[in-house]
Each structure stands twice: as C-alpha cells, then as structure tokens.
Amino acid sequence: MSVSGSESAASANKPKYSKFTQQELPACKPLLTPGIVIGAFSLIGIIFVPIGLASLSASQEIVELVDRYDEECVTASDKIGFIQDSKANKACTRKITKTTWHLCVQVPKPMKGPIHVYYQLENFYQNHRRYVQSRSDQQLRDKDYKDPKAVAKACDPEATTGDGSLIVPCGLIAWSLFNDTYAFSVNKKSVTVNKKDIAWASDKNSKFGSNVFPVNFQKGGLIGGGNLNDKLPLSEQEDLIVWMRTAALPTFRKLYGRIEADIMASDEITVVIQNNYNTYSFGGTKAVVLSTASWIGGKNNFIGVAYVAVGGICLLLAMGFVVLYVVKPRALGDPAYLSWNKEAAEYSH
C-alpha cells in the first residue's frame, strides 16, 4: 500500500473536529483568592445557620407521642403461636379481667389538629429485593389484565390460590398488609380517626384502578395480614395504597389516619389496640405514634442540627482564614504568568 493510500485511510477514520470532543470549550477558571474563599464560607454560614435554627425551633414545637405495644399485648409464652391462631382473641389486655388493653398517656403540650396517627414497624425489610418485586402494577391498574403467566412471574409466591385462581391484588406486599387497628378517646370521649386522603393523590389516580376490585384476596393456604373490602375498588382502599408504597429502611412509619381535633395539655388519651399483625416471627416491633406537624413536616432534629453544624463550620473556617491572612499574609501571583494566559498571549501574537 502506498503512503498516500495509508494517509487517506487514516484521514477517513479521523473523527470530525469538535471543540466539545477536544475539551476546548470556554470554561470558568476562578482564582481562589483569600477574599473569594472567605466570602464564600461566610455566605454559606450566614445562610445555613438561620435555616438550621428555624428548623430546630419548628421541630421542638412538634408534639410527638410514641408507644411500643407489641410486647405487652401478648402475654402468652408462645407469641408466634398465639398471633397465628385465628381463633385466639387478639385484643390487647393489661389485666386478665378486661377484654382490651388500654394505654393511657397524658399530653405534655397542646396538640393542634390535625393530629397524625402512624404505625411504626422496626426490623421489617420492605426493601428486600424479592419482596419489592412481588407485585403486578399492571394488574393494580387494569381490571382486564388477567395473564396467568405474567401474574405468576411478577407476584410469586402469592399469585394464585390453591385451585389456580388469580389473586387480586397479588404479591407479597399486598399479602402482608398491616392490620392492627386503633380506637382513640380523649378524657373518656371517643374521637374519630379520619382515614380519608392518607395516600398520595398520584398513587390513587395513576397506580390503582377505580374499576379494579379485590378477588380471592387472603384466600390462599397461608393468611398474611389484613383483608380488603371486596365491594370497594383498589383506588379507594387507602390503607392498601399507603402500605404498597414500600419503605427504604427497616424502621419506618406509615400514616394510619388523622384526628381532626385539638387536644389540650394534660388531657388523657386512651387508645384501644387490636393486636393482629404478626411481627413476632421475624423479631420485629410495633408502635403507635401520635404527632403534630409543622412546615418541616414531622419531628426531625437532624435537618436543623446539620444546617447549624455546616454553617458553624463554614463561619469558623472563614474567621480562621481571616486571622491567617492578617497574621501571615501571602503575596498574590500575577495571573498573566498562568500557563493558559501565557498560551493565549502567544497565540494572539
């Protein structure tokens, strides 16, 4: 092959010249002078510290009551056998002579409605890969979706009943639906828990069909958690919708409902708990949570502490650089001698 032929072949394979591919686009190359560094740290500190203090103040105003009840609700030595016995009375009991267990809590500060009621589970890994994938989103949206093979693949091992009939909704997530119940009273007067609009509107409108109804749910060989109303479409069964939004961490809270009333300080709240959900077989715990809310959401000191800590560190660094610059100043170099400036000057000539 001739030299000219090899050169033409090489030029044919040569990529088209571009400033983007050759990394020759204009770029900002700031000079980190003492003034810029001190100013940047000071600005971050001045912004972050007030935000952190405001977040901490809002968090401290939130009233939160948490009570773990799984241990005291089962007096039997065989907790797993007791909770799995369908004929056993699952009502919580503190005294043998009573049929229900009452948890009495005095409110430390006034709680303005709406008061959010959560259930809290620990050591429950909803983020397990097999658990998360055991669902059929298409089945939840479309009543006409009845492909046995696709459902069996998506919802294994809770896809069909013993006779091969499809389960709606299928999968381990729906099968393990939380089913403890709470009834509240304040100063011996019953209060209603509002369970409407506890799920995300996007989930109700887009992920769960208004014409999809439960079929054969919890009718398999092993009963998991709660049951569903066969006469209500999935889009209206908000307890299921809340549960189906899986948690990322093994300790999580999910919204149970809201108390649309104010509760004054020193009022006595009584909650009657029906202990139905089995957390004993995997060493999990259960708690009921009552909490008010603010502009930052629920009680969370971490956000405020993080902002104050970052802002404080930045202010300390800014003051340290100021002291260092005053005590031991350093002469700045001439930017004209920087390599890229020298190259630009030579190219212009």
Side-chain angles (χ1 to χ4, degrees):
M1 180 182 288
S2 64
V3 176
S4 60
S6 61
E7 290 179 352
S8 61
S11 61
N13 295 328
K14 184 178 180 180
K16 185 179 179 181
Y17 173 78
S18 169
K19 287 188 175 182
F20 178 77
T21 58
Q22 298 301 318
Q23 299 184 14
E24 294 179 358
L25 292 174
C28 179
K29 299 175 182 177
L31 298 177
L32 298 179
T33 62
I36 293 177
V37 173
I38 293 170
F41 278 120
S42 300
L43 181 63
I44 294 173
I46 291 170
I47 294 175
F48 274 44
V49 169
I51 294 176
L53 293 175
S55 300
L56 280 174
S57 176
S59 180
Q60 293 301 317
E61 291 298 320
I62 295 172
V63 183
E64 183 178 276
L65 304 174
V66 183
D67 186 85
R68 176 183 169 182
Y69 61 87
D70 57 284
E71 289 291 336
E72 299 184 43
C73 278
V74 178
T75 56
S77 57
D78 183 7
K79 291 181 169 57
I80 298 176
F82 173 83
I83 206 71
Q84 290 180 343
D85 186 359
S86 58
K87 297 180 181 179
N89 179 16
K90 300 301 194 312
C92 296
T93 57
R94 266 190 181 244
K95 294 181 180 180
I96 299 175
T97 56
K98 293 185 177 182
T99 58
T100 53
W101 172 69
H102 293 76
L103 160 71
C104 295
V105 179
Q106 282 196 340
V107 182
K109 293 192 297 185
M111 302 178 72
K112 294 184 178 180
I115 299 167
H116 298 76
V117 181
Y118 302 91
Y119 54 88
Q120 177 176 297
L121 298 180
E122 292 186 14
N123 201 34
F124 192 117
Y125 288 82
Q126 275 199 316
N127 59 352
H128 191 283
R129 184 171 179 268
R130 188 180 183 190
Y131 183 88
V132 170
Q133 291 182 339
S134 184
R135 62 186 292 168
S136 174
D137 290 313
Q138 192 168 352
Q139 184 201 60
L140 295 173
R141 292 191 300 264
D142 186 4
K143 69 172 184 177
D144 297 323
Y145 183 72
K146 298 178 181 179
D147 186 346
K149 292 183 179 179
V151 170
K153 182 178 179 181
C155 295
D156 181 68
E158 288 295 323
T160 59
T161 60
D163 59 1
S165 301
L166 289 179
I167 298 174
V168 181
C170 66
L172 287 174
I173 305 177
W175 173 80
S176 60
L177 174 64
F178 186 82
N179 61 338
D180 281 6
T181 60
Y182 311 118
F184 294 88
S185 60
V186 178
N187 296 331
K188 299 181 180 180
K189 293 183 179 179
S190 178
V191 294
T192 303
V193 178
N194 181 10
K195 297 180 72 67
K196 292 184 178 180
D197 297 327
I198 61 174
W200 290 19
S202 58
D203 287 353
K204 291 193 293 183
N205 298 331
S206 304
K207 296 184 178 181
F208 294 82
S210 59
N211 56 358
V212 181
F213 293 82
V215 179
N216 298 321
F217 189 68
Q218 299 293 17
K219 293 181 180 179
L222 183 63
I223 303 301
N227 226 318
L228 296 175
N229 189 341
D230 295 341
K231 298 180 180 179
L232 285 179
L234 297 185
S235 61
E236 296 182 18
Q237 309 220 28
E238 297 195 42
D239 284 328
L240 172 69
I241 299 174
V242 170
W243 180 256
M244 294 287 285
R245 180 169 282 275
T246 52
L249 299 175
T251 299
F252 59 87
R253 294 177 181 178
K254 291 184 182 288
L255 186 60
Y256 178 83
R258 299 183 185 89
I259 298 175
E260 306 285 353
D262 296 342
I263 299 178
M264 298 295 105
S266 299
D267 281 352
E268 186 179 82
I269 302 175
T270 303
V271 53
V272 181
I273 304 173
Q274 298 294 324
N275 182 34
N276 302 312
Y277 199 69
N278 181 12
T279 58
Y280 306 97
S281 59
F282 57 87
T285 67
K286 298 185 289 186
V288 58
V289 181
L290 277 74
S291 176
T292 57
S294 68
W295 59 271
I296 64 168
K299 194 174 187 68
N300 188 346
N301 292 329
F302 174 78
I303 296 176
V305 170
Y307 269 97
V308 171
V310 173
I313 291 172
C314 289
L315 289 176
L316 288 175
L317 288 173
M319 289 187 290
F321 282 127
V322 168
V323 172
L324 184 63
Y325 185 68
V326 171
V327 174
K328 193 177 180 180
R330 180 181 177 184
L332 296 178
D334 188 350
Y337 287 99
L338 293 172
S339 60
W340 56 83
N341 288 335
K342 291 176 66 177
E343 292 174 359
E346 293 173 358
Y347 180 78
S348 62
H349 291 298

Short mmCIF file of all heavy atoms in Angstrom, two decimals, residues 131 134-136 139 154-159 167 169-176 217:
data_model
loop_
_atom_site.label_atom_id
_atom_site.label_comp_id
_atom_site.label_asym_id
_atom_site.label_seq_id
_atom_site.Cartn_x
_atom_site.Cartn_y
_atom_site.Cartn_z
N TYR A 131 -39.18 -9.14 47.92
CA TYR A 131 -40.42 -8.54 48.44
C TYR A 131 -40.87 -7.38 47.56
O TYR A 131 -42.04 -7.28 47.19
CB TYR A 131 -40.19 -8.09 49.88
CG TYR A 131 -41.40 -7.53 50.57
CD1 TYR A 131 -42.28 -8.35 51.26
CD2 TYR A 131 -41.67 -6.15 50.55
CE1 TYR A 131 -43.38 -7.83 51.92
CE2 TYR A 131 -42.77 -5.63 51.21
CZ TYR A 131 -43.63 -6.47 51.89
OH TYR A 131 -44.73 -5.95 52.53
N SER A 134 -42.39 -8.43 44.21
CA SER A 134 -43.56 -9.31 44.25
C SER A 134 -44.85 -8.48 44.18
O SER A 134 -45.57 -8.33 45.17
CB SER A 134 -43.53 -10.18 45.50
OG SER A 134 -44.61 -11.08 45.50
N ARG A 135 -45.14 -7.96 43.02
CA ARG A 135 -46.35 -7.17 42.76
C ARG A 135 -46.56 -7.05 41.26
O ARG A 135 -45.62 -7.23 40.48
CB ARG A 135 -46.25 -5.77 43.38
CG ARG A 135 -45.11 -4.93 42.80
CD ARG A 135 -44.95 -3.61 43.53
NE ARG A 135 -46.06 -2.72 43.31
CZ ARG A 135 -46.28 -1.61 44.02
NH1 ARG A 135 -45.44 -1.31 45.02
NH2 ARG A 135 -47.30 -0.85 43.78
N SER A 136 -47.77 -6.74 40.87
CA SER A 136 -48.08 -6.52 39.45
C SER A 136 -48.77 -5.18 39.32
O SER A 136 -49.96 -5.03 39.61
CB SER A 136 -48.98 -7.64 38.90
OG SER A 136 -49.39 -7.34 37.58
N GLN A 139 -51.72 -5.18 36.92
CA GLN A 139 -52.94 -5.75 37.49
C GLN A 139 -53.65 -4.75 38.40
O GLN A 139 -54.88 -4.69 38.45
CB GLN A 139 -52.60 -7.01 38.28
CG GLN A 139 -53.82 -7.74 38.83
CD GLN A 139 -53.45 -8.64 40.00
OE1 GLN A 139 -52.94 -8.18 41.02
NE2 GLN A 139 -53.72 -9.92 39.84
N ALA A 154 -44.67 -12.21 38.13
CA ALA A 154 -44.49 -10.95 38.85
C ALA A 154 -44.80 -11.09 40.34
O ALA A 154 -44.15 -10.44 41.17
CB ALA A 154 -45.37 -9.87 38.23
N CYS A 155 -45.78 -11.92 40.69
CA CYS A 155 -46.29 -11.95 42.06
C CYS A 155 -45.88 -13.18 42.85
O CYS A 155 -46.37 -13.37 43.97
CB CYS A 155 -47.81 -11.85 42.04
SG CYS A 155 -48.44 -10.29 41.39
N ASP A 156 -45.07 -14.02 42.29
CA ASP A 156 -44.64 -15.21 43.00
C ASP A 156 -44.09 -14.84 44.38
O ASP A 156 -43.35 -13.86 44.51
CB ASP A 156 -43.55 -15.92 42.19
CG ASP A 156 -43.07 -17.18 42.85
OD1 ASP A 156 -43.86 -18.13 42.91
OD2 ASP A 156 -41.90 -17.21 43.31
N PRO A 157 -44.49 -15.52 45.48
CA PRO A 157 -45.26 -16.76 45.53
C PRO A 157 -46.74 -16.58 45.84
O PRO A 157 -47.41 -17.56 46.13
CB PRO A 157 -44.58 -17.50 46.67
CG PRO A 157 -44.21 -16.40 47.63
CD PRO A 157 -43.88 -15.22 46.78
N GLU A 158 -47.26 -15.36 45.82
CA GLU A 158 -48.67 -15.11 46.14
C GLU A 158 -49.40 -14.60 44.90
O GLU A 158 -49.87 -13.46 44.85
CB GLU A 158 -48.79 -14.10 47.29
CG GLU A 158 -48.40 -14.64 48.63
CD GLU A 158 -49.33 -15.75 49.10
OE1 GLU A 158 -50.55 -15.65 48.85
OE2 GLU A 158 -48.84 -16.70 49.72
N ALA A 159 -49.48 -15.46 43.87
CA ALA A 159 -50.13 -15.08 42.61
C ALA A 159 -51.48 -15.73 42.45
O ALA A 159 -52.42 -15.12 41.93
CB ALA A 159 -49.23 -15.41 41.42
N ILE A 167 -55.20 -14.07 42.19
CA ILE A 167 -55.43 -13.23 43.36
C ILE A 167 -55.28 -11.78 42.95
O ILE A 167 -54.33 -11.42 42.26
CB ILE A 167 -54.43 -13.58 44.49
CG1 ILE A 167 -54.61 -15.02 44.94
CG2 ILE A 167 -54.60 -12.62 45.67
CD1 ILE A 167 -53.56 -15.47 45.95
N PRO A 169 -55.46 -7.96 44.88
CA PRO A 169 -54.11 -7.74 44.33
C PRO A 169 -53.17 -8.87 44.75
O PRO A 169 -53.28 -9.41 45.84
CB PRO A 169 -53.70 -6.42 44.98
CG PRO A 169 -54.43 -6.41 46.29
CD PRO A 169 -55.73 -7.11 46.05
N CYS A 170 -52.27 -9.20 43.85
CA CYS A 170 -51.37 -10.31 44.09
C CYS A 170 -50.04 -9.81 44.64
O CYS A 170 -49.76 -8.62 44.65
CB CYS A 170 -51.15 -11.09 42.79
SG CYS A 170 -50.27 -10.17 41.51
N GLY A 171 -49.22 -10.74 45.09
CA GLY A 171 -47.86 -10.39 45.52
C GLY A 171 -47.71 -10.34 47.03
O GLY A 171 -48.67 -10.24 47.80
N LEU A 172 -46.45 -10.39 47.46
CA LEU A 172 -46.13 -10.41 48.89
C LEU A 172 -46.44 -9.09 49.58
O LEU A 172 -46.77 -9.08 50.77
CB LEU A 172 -44.65 -10.75 49.08
CG LEU A 172 -44.24 -12.20 48.81
CD1 LEU A 172 -42.73 -12.34 48.89
CD2 LEU A 172 -44.92 -13.14 49.79
N ILE A 173 -46.32 -7.97 48.87
CA ILE A 173 -46.55 -6.68 49.53
C ILE A 173 -48.01 -6.57 49.96
O ILE A 173 -48.30 -6.26 51.12
CB ILE A 173 -46.17 -5.51 48.58
CG1 ILE A 173 -44.74 -5.66 48.09
CG2 ILE A 173 -46.34 -4.18 49.30
CD1 ILE A 173 -44.32 -4.60 47.10
N ALA A 174 -48.94 -6.82 49.04
CA ALA A 174 -50.36 -6.76 49.38
C ALA A 174 -50.71 -7.84 50.40
O ALA A 174 -51.50 -7.61 51.33
CB ALA A 174 -51.20 -6.91 48.12
N TRP A 175 -50.14 -9.02 50.25
CA TRP A 175 -50.43 -10.15 51.14
C TRP A 175 -50.07 -9.84 52.58
O TRP A 175 -50.73 -10.29 53.51
CB TRP A 175 -49.65 -11.37 50.64
CG TRP A 175 -49.70 -12.57 51.52
CD1 TRP A 175 -50.70 -13.49 51.62
CD2 TRP A 175 -48.69 -13.00 52.43
NE1 TRP A 175 -50.38 -14.47 52.52
CE2 TRP A 175 -49.15 -14.20 53.05
CE3 TRP A 175 -47.44 -12.51 52.79
CZ2 TRP A 175 -48.40 -14.89 53.98
CZ3 TRP A 175 -46.70 -13.20 53.73
CH2 TRP A 175 -47.18 -14.37 54.31
N SER A 176 -49.03 -9.02 52.80
CA SER A 176 -48.55 -8.71 54.16
C SER A 176 -49.12 -7.41 54.69
O SER A 176 -48.52 -6.77 55.55
CB SER A 176 -47.02 -8.64 54.17
OG SER A 176 -46.57 -7.63 53.27
N PHE A 217 -58.62 -12.46 47.61
CA PHE A 217 -57.56 -11.92 48.45
C PHE A 217 -57.59 -12.60 49.82
O PHE A 217 -58.63 -12.74 50.44
CB PHE A 217 -57.72 -10.40 48.60
CG PHE A 217 -56.56 -9.73 49.28
CD1 PHE A 217 -55.32 -9.67 48.66
CD2 PHE A 217 -56.70 -9.18 50.53
CE1 PHE A 217 -54.24 -9.07 49.28
CE2 PHE A 217 -55.63 -8.55 51.16
CZ PHE A 217 -54.40 -8.51 50.53
#
